[in-house]
Amino acid sequence: MAVNRLGRRALGGLLLGVAAYYAIWGGEYSAFDLLKLRSMGDREDARLAETRAAVDSLRLVAEKMANDSASIERFARERFGMIRDGEVLYRFVAVDTAKTP
């Protein structure tokens, strides 16, 4: 009788151990896979926040370009080097002193 009870406990412990092993290591979504998915989700959340910030910034620039002539002029001057009639444009070129004697 005691041996039979001991066998049942051993079998129950073995089944519990197998179930715990399968829960941690096995299956399509083991504990390690879930941790990896959580870290991937965190990285994607950070990228999404960066993208949203960039979109907001670009939306603000587009709004300024559509409604503010001073912003358009500043952009044209900085980006394309455009000048008004009568102005003189000076461009300074950086010289690499290591190559120049």
Side-chain angles (χ1 to χ4, degrees):
M1 209 52 158
V3 173
N4 194 12
R5 183 177 285 174
L6 184 62
R8 286 185 192 170
R9 283 189 173 196
L11 182 61
L14 179 65
L15 288 176
L16 186 63
V18 168
Y21 176 81
Y22 187 76
I24 294 173
W25 292 96
E28 187 175 351
Y29 294 109
S30 68
F32 297 111
D33 290 333
L34 292 176
L35 289 173
K36 184 171 37 171
L37 287 173
R38 183 176 293 147
S39 70
M40 287 172 57
D42 292 342
R43 283 194 305 262
E44 292 303 318
D45 287 342
R47 284 185 54 206
L48 180 61
E50 290 174 7
T51 303
R52 284 185 175 156
V55 166
D56 289 341
S57 174
L58 290 173
R59 187 175 290 134
L60 180 64
V61 168
E63 185 177 312
K64 283 184 177 180
M65 295 298 274
N67 299 324
D68 187 16
S69 60
S71 294
I72 295 171
E73 182 179 348
R74 187 180 73 237
F75 182 77
R77 287 174 172 272
E78 291 174 0
R79 179 78 184 246
F80 300 112
M82 298 180 87
I83 59 173
R84 289 185 178 176
D85 287 335
E87 292 181 340
V88 177
L89 176 65
Y90 292 98
R91 289 193 180 179
F92 298 96
V93 179
V95 177
D96 188 7
T97 57
K99 293 181 180 179
T100 306

PDB file of all heavy atoms in Angstrom, residues 2-20:
ATOM      1  N   ALA A   2       1.897   1.308   0.817  1.00  0.00           N
ATOM      2  CA  ALA A   2       2.774   2.461   0.905  1.00  0.00           C
ATOM      3  C   ALA A   2       3.556   2.636  -0.398  1.00  0.00           C
ATOM      4  O   ALA A   2       3.833   3.751  -0.824  1.00  0.00           O
ATOM      5  CB  ALA A   2       3.719   2.321   2.080  1.00  0.00           C
ATOM      6  N   VAL A   3       3.904   1.489  -1.024  1.00  0.00           N
ATOM      7  CA  VAL A   3       4.647   1.556  -2.277  1.00  0.00           C
ATOM      8  C   VAL A   3       3.745   2.114  -3.370  1.00  0.00           C
ATOM      9  O   VAL A   3       4.161   2.917  -4.203  1.00  0.00           O
ATOM     10  CB  VAL A   3       5.181   0.156  -2.658  1.00  0.00           C
ATOM     11  CG1 VAL A   3       5.809   0.170  -4.032  1.00  0.00           C
ATOM     12  CG2 VAL A   3       6.147  -0.340  -1.623  1.00  0.00           C
ATOM     13  N   ASN A   4       2.481   1.716  -3.368  1.00  0.00           N
ATOM     14  CA  ASN A   4       1.544   2.198  -4.365  1.00  0.00           C
ATOM     15  C   ASN A   4       1.326   3.706  -4.216  1.00  0.00           C
ATOM     16  O   ASN A   4       1.276   4.436  -5.191  1.00  0.00           O
ATOM     17  CB  ASN A   4       0.219   1.447  -4.216  1.00  0.00           C
ATOM     18  CG  ASN A   4      -0.678   1.640  -5.424  1.00  0.00           C
ATOM     19  OD1 ASN A   4      -0.240   2.144  -6.430  1.00  0.00           O
ATOM     20  ND2 ASN A   4      -1.914   1.231  -5.296  1.00  0.00           N
ATOM     21  N   ARG A   5       1.203   4.183  -2.978  1.00  0.00           N
ATOM     22  CA  ARG A   5       1.034   5.617  -2.722  1.00  0.00           C
ATOM     23  C   ARG A   5       2.293   6.381  -3.133  1.00  0.00           C
ATOM     24  O   ARG A   5       2.211   7.461  -3.708  1.00  0.00           O
ATOM     25  CB  ARG A   5       0.756   5.842  -1.241  1.00  0.00           C
ATOM     26  CG  ARG A   5       0.511   7.297  -0.922  1.00  0.00           C
ATOM     27  CD  ARG A   5       0.167   7.519   0.493  1.00  0.00           C
ATOM     28  NE  ARG A   5      -1.211   7.079   0.718  1.00  0.00           N
ATOM     29  CZ  ARG A   5      -1.806   7.029   1.892  1.00  0.00           C
ATOM     30  NH1 ARG A   5      -1.138   7.359   2.966  1.00  0.00           N
ATOM     31  NH2 ARG A   5      -3.039   6.629   2.015  1.00  0.00           N
ATOM     32  N   LEU A   6       3.455   5.805  -2.851  1.00  0.00           N
ATOM     33  CA  LEU A   6       4.718   6.427  -3.231  1.00  0.00           C
ATOM     34  C   LEU A   6       4.844   6.494  -4.756  1.00  0.00           C
ATOM     35  O   LEU A   6       5.315   7.488  -5.313  1.00  0.00           O
ATOM     36  CB  LEU A   6       5.894   5.651  -2.625  1.00  0.00           C
ATOM     37  CG  LEU A   6       7.281   6.229  -2.850  1.00  0.00           C
ATOM     38  CD1 LEU A   6       7.392   7.602  -2.202  1.00  0.00           C
ATOM     39  CD2 LEU A   6       8.325   5.300  -2.303  1.00  0.00           C
ATOM     40  N   GLY A   7       4.393   5.479  -5.449  1.00  0.00           N
ATOM     41  CA  GLY A   7       4.426   5.453  -6.915  1.00  0.00           C
ATOM     42  C   GLY A   7       3.512   6.520  -7.504  1.00  0.00           C
ATOM     43  O   GLY A   7       3.860   7.176  -8.479  1.00  0.00           O
ATOM     44  N   ARG A   8       2.314   6.680  -6.890  1.00  0.00           N
ATOM     45  CA  ARG A   8       1.396   7.719  -7.360  1.00  0.00           C
ATOM     46  C   ARG A   8       1.982   9.112  -7.165  1.00  0.00           C
ATOM     47  O   ARG A   8       1.862   9.981  -8.034  1.00  0.00           O
ATOM     48  CB  ARG A   8       0.067   7.624  -6.634  1.00  0.00           C
ATOM     49  CG  ARG A   8      -0.774   6.481  -7.087  1.00  0.00           C
ATOM     50  CD  ARG A   8      -2.107   6.532  -6.410  1.00  0.00           C
ATOM     51  NE  ARG A   8      -2.811   5.283  -6.627  1.00  0.00           N
ATOM     52  CZ  ARG A   8      -3.908   4.936  -6.017  1.00  0.00           C
ATOM     53  NH1 ARG A   8      -4.432   5.769  -5.121  1.00  0.00           N
ATOM     54  NH2 ARG A   8      -4.491   3.798  -6.262  1.00  0.00           N
ATOM     55  N   ARG A   9       2.611   9.329  -6.015  1.00  0.00           N
ATOM     56  CA  ARG A   9       3.238  10.636  -5.758  1.00  0.00           C
ATOM     57  C   ARG A   9       4.387  10.890  -6.729  1.00  0.00           C
ATOM     58  O   ARG A   9       4.554  12.006  -7.225  1.00  0.00           O
ATOM     59  CB  ARG A   9       3.747  10.729  -4.332  1.00  0.00           C
ATOM     60  CG  ARG A   9       2.667  10.958  -3.346  1.00  0.00           C
ATOM     61  CD  ARG A   9       3.251  11.256  -2.010  1.00  0.00           C
ATOM     62  NE  ARG A   9       2.176  11.632  -1.111  1.00  0.00           N
ATOM     63  CZ  ARG A   9       2.338  12.232   0.017  1.00  0.00           C
ATOM     64  NH1 ARG A   9       3.563  12.535   0.426  1.00  0.00           N
ATOM     65  NH2 ARG A   9       1.323  12.544   0.770  1.00  0.00           N
ATOM     66  N   ALA A  10       5.174   9.869  -6.988  1.00  0.00           N
ATOM     67  CA  ALA A  10       6.285  10.005  -7.918  1.00  0.00           C
ATOM     68  C   ALA A  10       5.761  10.310  -9.321  1.00  0.00           C
ATOM     69  O   ALA A  10       6.288  11.172 -10.029  1.00  0.00           O
ATOM     70  CB  ALA A  10       7.145   8.747  -7.932  1.00  0.00           C
ATOM     71  N   LEU A  11       4.689   9.595  -9.713  1.00  0.00           N
ATOM     72  CA  LEU A  11       4.099   9.832 -11.019  1.00  0.00           C
ATOM     73  C   LEU A  11       3.497  11.242 -11.097  1.00  0.00           C
ATOM     74  O   LEU A  11       3.675  11.943 -12.092  1.00  0.00           O
ATOM     75  CB  LEU A  11       3.023   8.784 -11.323  1.00  0.00           C
ATOM     76  CG  LEU A  11       2.353   8.897 -12.693  1.00  0.00           C
ATOM     77  CD1 LEU A  11       3.383   8.745 -13.804  1.00  0.00           C
ATOM     78  CD2 LEU A  11       1.257   7.871 -12.822  1.00  0.00           C
ATOM     79  N   GLY A  12       2.835  11.680 -10.045  1.00  0.00           N
ATOM     80  CA  GLY A  12       2.276  13.032 -10.002  1.00  0.00           C
ATOM     81  C   GLY A  12       3.374  14.086 -10.058  1.00  0.00           C
ATOM     82  O   GLY A  12       3.247  15.095 -10.763  1.00  0.00           O
ATOM     83  N   GLY A  13       4.454  13.862  -9.304  1.00  0.00           N
ATOM     84  CA  GLY A  13       5.586  14.783  -9.335  1.00  0.00           C
ATOM     85  C   GLY A  13       6.235  14.819 -10.703  1.00  0.00           C
ATOM     86  O   GLY A  13       6.623  15.887 -11.195  1.00  0.00           O
ATOM     87  N   LEU A  14       6.347  13.660 -11.327  1.00  0.00           N
ATOM     88  CA  LEU A  14       6.924  13.587 -12.667  1.00  0.00           C
ATOM     89  C   LEU A  14       6.050  14.336 -13.668  1.00  0.00           C
ATOM     90  O   LEU A  14       6.557  15.115 -14.489  1.00  0.00           O
ATOM     91  CB  LEU A  14       7.084  12.132 -13.095  1.00  0.00           C
ATOM     92  CG  LEU A  14       7.660  11.916 -14.499  1.00  0.00           C
ATOM     93  CD1 LEU A  14       9.088  12.436 -14.561  1.00  0.00           C
ATOM     94  CD2 LEU A  14       7.598  10.459 -14.871  1.00  0.00           C
ATOM     95  N   LEU A  15       4.749  14.136 -13.611  1.00  0.00           N
ATOM     96  CA  LEU A  15       3.838  14.843 -14.505  1.00  0.00           C
ATOM     97  C   LEU A  15       3.886  16.353 -14.264  1.00  0.00           C
ATOM     98  O   LEU A  15       3.870  17.146 -15.207  1.00  0.00           O
ATOM     99  CB  LEU A  15       2.414  14.322 -14.336  1.00  0.00           C
ATOM    100  CG  LEU A  15       2.148  12.931 -14.897  1.00  0.00           C
ATOM    101  CD1 LEU A  15       0.728  12.498 -14.569  1.00  0.00           C
ATOM    102  CD2 LEU A  15       2.403  12.871 -16.383  1.00  0.00           C
ATOM    103  N   LEU A  16       3.954  16.745 -12.996  1.00  0.00           N
ATOM    104  CA  LEU A  16       4.061  18.165 -12.675  1.00  0.00           C
ATOM    105  C   LEU A  16       5.372  18.743 -13.208  1.00  0.00           C
ATOM    106  O   LEU A  16       5.405  19.845 -13.750  1.00  0.00           O
ATOM    107  CB  LEU A  16       3.952  18.377 -11.162  1.00  0.00           C
ATOM    108  CG  LEU A  16       3.901  19.811 -10.689  1.00  0.00           C
ATOM    109  CD1 LEU A  16       2.654  20.497 -11.228  1.00  0.00           C
ATOM    110  CD2 LEU A  16       3.908  19.862  -9.179  1.00  0.00           C
ATOM    111  N   GLY A  17       6.451  17.988 -13.075  1.00  0.00           N
ATOM    112  CA  GLY A  17       7.744  18.427 -13.596  1.00  0.00           C
ATOM    113  C   GLY A  17       7.732  18.555 -15.108  1.00  0.00           C
ATOM    114  O   GLY A  17       8.260  19.516 -15.668  1.00  0.00           O
ATOM    115  N   VAL A  18       7.109  17.594 -15.789  1.00  0.00           N
ATOM    116  CA  VAL A  18       7.009  17.655 -17.244  1.00  0.00           C
ATOM    117  C   VAL A  18       6.164  18.856 -17.664  1.00  0.00           C
ATOM    118  O   VAL A  18       6.504  19.569 -18.613  1.00  0.00           O
ATOM    119  CB  VAL A  18       6.430  16.335 -17.809  1.00  0.00           C
ATOM    120  CG1 VAL A  18       6.049  16.485 -19.271  1.00  0.00           C
ATOM    121  CG2 VAL A  18       7.431  15.213 -17.637  1.00  0.00           C
ATOM    122  N   ALA A  19       5.076  19.109 -16.966  1.00  0.00           N
ATOM    123  CA  ALA A  19       4.224  20.253 -17.289  1.00  0.00           C
ATOM    124  C   ALA A  19       4.980  21.572 -17.073  1.00  0.00           C
ATOM    125  O   ALA A  19       4.880  22.497 -17.885  1.00  0.00           O
ATOM    126  CB  ALA A  19       2.953  20.222 -16.449  1.00  0.00           C
ATOM    127  N   ALA A  20       5.729  21.665 -15.977  1.00  0.00           N
ATOM    128  CA  ALA A  20       6.507  22.876 -15.713  1.00  0.00           C
ATOM    129  C   ALA A  20       7.590  23.060 -16.775  1.00  0.00           C
ATOM    130  O   ALA A  20       7.817  24.178 -17.262  1.00  0.00           O
ATOM    131  CB  ALA A  20       7.126  22.820 -14.329  1.00  0.00           C
TER     132      ALA A  20
END
